[in-house]
PDB file of all heavy atoms in Angstrom:
ATOM      1  N   ALA X  39     152.499 109.144 108.651  1.00  0.00           N
ATOM      2  CA  ALA X  39     153.572 110.120 108.447  1.00  0.00           C
ATOM      3  C   ALA X  39     153.005 111.531 108.328  1.00  0.00           C
ATOM      4  O   ALA X  39     151.883 111.741 107.857  1.00  0.00           O
ATOM      5  CB  ALA X  39     154.359 109.776 107.196  1.00  0.00           C
ATOM      6  N   ILE X  40     153.800 112.508 108.781  1.00  0.00           N
ATOM      7  CA  ILE X  40     153.492 113.914 108.584  1.00  0.00           C
ATOM      8  C   ILE X  40     154.553 114.500 107.664  1.00  0.00           C
ATOM      9  O   ILE X  40     155.765 114.323 107.889  1.00  0.00           O
ATOM     10  CB  ILE X  40     153.462 114.673 109.924  1.00  0.00           C
ATOM     11  CG1 ILE X  40     152.350 114.128 110.826  1.00  0.00           C
ATOM     12  CG2 ILE X  40     153.276 116.175 109.685  1.00  0.00           C
ATOM     13  CD1 ILE X  40     152.305 114.750 112.197  1.00  0.00           C
ATOM     14  N   TYR X  41     154.104 115.180 106.611  1.00  0.00           N
ATOM     15  CA  TYR X  41     154.999 115.789 105.632  1.00  0.00           C
ATOM     16  C   TYR X  41     154.854 117.304 105.716  1.00  0.00           C
ATOM     17  O   TYR X  41     153.748 117.842 105.627  1.00  0.00           O
ATOM     18  CB  TYR X  41     154.656 115.304 104.224  1.00  0.00           C
ATOM     19  CG  TYR X  41     154.660 113.800 104.097  1.00  0.00           C
ATOM     20  CD1 TYR X  41     153.467 113.073 104.222  1.00  0.00           C
ATOM     21  CD2 TYR X  41     155.836 113.095 103.861  1.00  0.00           C
ATOM     22  CE1 TYR X  41     153.455 111.697 104.123  1.00  0.00           C
ATOM     23  CE2 TYR X  41     155.844 111.708 103.757  1.00  0.00           C
ATOM     24  CZ  TYR X  41     154.646 111.017 103.890  1.00  0.00           C
ATOM     25  OH  TYR X  41     154.650 109.647 103.789  1.00  0.00           O
ATOM     26  N   THR X  42     155.962 117.993 105.866  1.00  0.00           N
ATOM     27  CA  THR X  42     155.918 119.441 106.081  1.00  0.00           C
ATOM     28  C   THR X  42     155.449 120.209 104.849  1.00  0.00           C
ATOM     29  O   THR X  42     154.655 121.150 104.947  1.00  0.00           O
ATOM     30  CB  THR X  42     157.312 119.953 106.492  1.00  0.00           C
ATOM     31  OG1 THR X  42     157.728 119.285 107.681  1.00  0.00           O
ATOM     32  CG2 THR X  42     157.291 121.458 106.728  1.00  0.00           C
ATOM     33  N   ASP X  43     155.891 119.798 103.662  1.00  0.00           N
ATOM     34  CA  ASP X  43     155.737 120.637 102.476  1.00  0.00           C
ATOM     35  C   ASP X  43     154.610 120.230 101.530  1.00  0.00           C
ATOM     36  O   ASP X  43     154.460 120.834 100.469  1.00  0.00           O
ATOM     37  CB  ASP X  43     157.048 120.670 101.705  1.00  0.00           C
ATOM     38  CG  ASP X  43     158.156 121.357 102.487  1.00  0.00           C
ATOM     39  OD1 ASP X  43     157.918 122.489 102.944  1.00  0.00           O
ATOM     40  OD2 ASP X  43     159.236 120.761 102.667  1.00  0.00           O
ATOM     41  N   GLY X  44     153.815 119.244 101.906  1.00  0.00           N
ATOM     42  CA  GLY X  44     152.705 118.860 101.041  1.00  0.00           C
ATOM     43  C   GLY X  44     152.370 117.395 101.214  1.00  0.00           C
ATOM     44  O   GLY X  44     153.036 116.667 101.968  1.00  0.00           O
ATOM     45  N   PRO X  45     151.325 116.891 100.525  1.00  0.00           N
ATOM     46  CA  PRO X  45     150.976 115.476 100.595  1.00  0.00           C
ATOM     47  C   PRO X  45     152.128 114.585 100.122  1.00  0.00           C
ATOM     48  O   PRO X  45     153.015 115.027  99.382  1.00  0.00           O
ATOM     49  CB  PRO X  45     149.766 115.370  99.661  1.00  0.00           C
ATOM     50  CG  PRO X  45     149.192 116.744  99.628  1.00  0.00           C
ATOM     51  CD  PRO X  45     150.362 117.662  99.719  1.00  0.00           C
ATOM     52  N   TYR X  46     152.087 113.364 100.538  1.00  0.00           N
ATOM     53  CA  TYR X  46     153.130 112.390 100.214  1.00  0.00           C
ATOM     54  C   TYR X  46     153.436 112.335  98.712  1.00  0.00           C
ATOM     55  O   TYR X  46     152.533 112.259  97.868  1.00  0.00           O
ATOM     56  CB  TYR X  46     152.713 111.007 100.700  1.00  0.00           C
ATOM     57  CG  TYR X  46     153.570 109.887 100.174  1.00  0.00           C
ATOM     58  CD1 TYR X  46     154.907 109.767 100.527  1.00  0.00           C
ATOM     59  CD2 TYR X  46     153.034 108.955  99.267  1.00  0.00           C
ATOM     60  CE1 TYR X  46     155.709 108.750 100.017  1.00  0.00           C
ATOM     61  CE2 TYR X  46     153.818 107.930  98.757  1.00  0.00           C
ATOM     62  CZ  TYR X  46     155.157 107.840  99.134  1.00  0.00           C
ATOM     63  OH  TYR X  46     155.931 106.826  98.617  1.00  0.00           O
ATOM     64  N   ASP X  47     154.724 112.412  98.401  1.00  0.00           N
ATOM     65  CA  ASP X  47     155.254 112.187  97.056  1.00  0.00           C
ATOM     66  C   ASP X  47     154.686 113.143  96.005  1.00  0.00           C
ATOM     67  O   ASP X  47     154.510 112.790  94.847  1.00  0.00           O
ATOM     68  CB  ASP X  47     154.999 110.732  96.626  1.00  0.00           C
ATOM     69  CG  ASP X  47     155.944 110.288  95.494  1.00  0.00           C
ATOM     70  OD1 ASP X  47     157.031 110.896  95.368  1.00  0.00           O
ATOM     71  OD2 ASP X  47     155.591 109.359  94.752  1.00  0.00           O
ATOM     72  N   THR X  48     154.402 114.355  96.441  1.00  0.00           N
ATOM     73  CA  THR X  48     153.985 115.363  95.461  1.00  0.00           C
ATOM     74  C   THR X  48     155.131 116.299  95.086  1.00  0.00           C
ATOM     75  O   THR X  48     154.965 117.171  94.235  1.00  0.00           O
ATOM     76  CB  THR X  48     152.814 116.205  96.018  1.00  0.00           C
ATOM     77  OG1 THR X  48     153.184 116.733  97.309  1.00  0.00           O
ATOM     78  CG2 THR X  48     151.548 115.370  96.153  1.00  0.00           C
ATOM     79  N   SER X  49     156.264 116.103  95.727  1.00  0.00           N
ATOM     80  CA  SER X  49     157.458 116.877  95.396  1.00  0.00           C
ATOM     81  C   SER X  49     158.669 116.155  95.962  1.00  0.00           C
ATOM     82  O   SER X  49     158.544 115.161  96.687  1.00  0.00           O
ATOM     83  CB  SER X  49     157.383 118.295  95.996  1.00  0.00           C
ATOM     84  OG  SER X  49     157.521 118.239  97.405  1.00  0.00           O
ATOM     85  N   ARG X  50     159.842 116.664  95.628  1.00  0.00           N
ATOM     86  CA  ARG X  50     161.078 116.060  96.123  1.00  0.00           C
ATOM     87  C   ARG X  50     161.133 116.070  97.643  1.00  0.00           C
ATOM     88  O   ARG X  50     161.713 115.165  98.251  1.00  0.00           O
ATOM     89  CB  ARG X  50     162.267 116.834  95.532  1.00  0.00           C
ATOM     90  CG  ARG X  50     163.642 116.376  96.022  1.00  0.00           C
ATOM     91  CD  ARG X  50     164.759 117.121  95.300  1.00  0.00           C
ATOM     92  NE  ARG X  50     164.610 118.558  95.452  1.00  0.00           N
ATOM     93  CZ  ARG X  50     165.048 119.246  96.521  1.00  0.00           C
ATOM     94  NH1 ARG X  50     165.642 118.604  97.516  1.00  0.00           N
ATOM     95  NH2 ARG X  50     164.897 120.544  96.561  1.00  0.00           N
ATOM     96  N   ARG X  51     160.535 117.076  98.265  1.00  0.00           N
ATOM     97  CA  ARG X  51     160.620 117.224  99.715  1.00  0.00           C
ATOM     98  C   ARG X  51     159.590 116.401 100.474  1.00  0.00           C
ATOM     99  O   ARG X  51     159.546 116.450 101.699  1.00  0.00           O
ATOM    100  CB  ARG X  51     160.484 118.702 100.080  1.00  0.00           C
ATOM    101  CG  ARG X  51     161.627 119.577  99.557  1.00  0.00           C
ATOM    102  CD  ARG X  51     161.484 121.025 100.030  1.00  0.00           C
ATOM    103  NE  ARG X  51     160.237 121.636  99.559  1.00  0.00           N
ATOM    104  CZ  ARG X  51     160.101 122.211  98.383  1.00  0.00           C
ATOM    105  NH1 ARG X  51     161.130 122.242  97.527  1.00  0.00           N
ATOM    106  NH2 ARG X  51     158.955 122.741  98.015  1.00  0.00           N
TER     107      ARG X  51
END
Side-chain angles (χ1 to χ4, degrees):
I40 297 176
Y41 305 95
T42 301
D43 294 308
Y46 168 66
D47 201 24
T48 53
S49 71
R50 177 175 56 84
R51 295 184 299 275

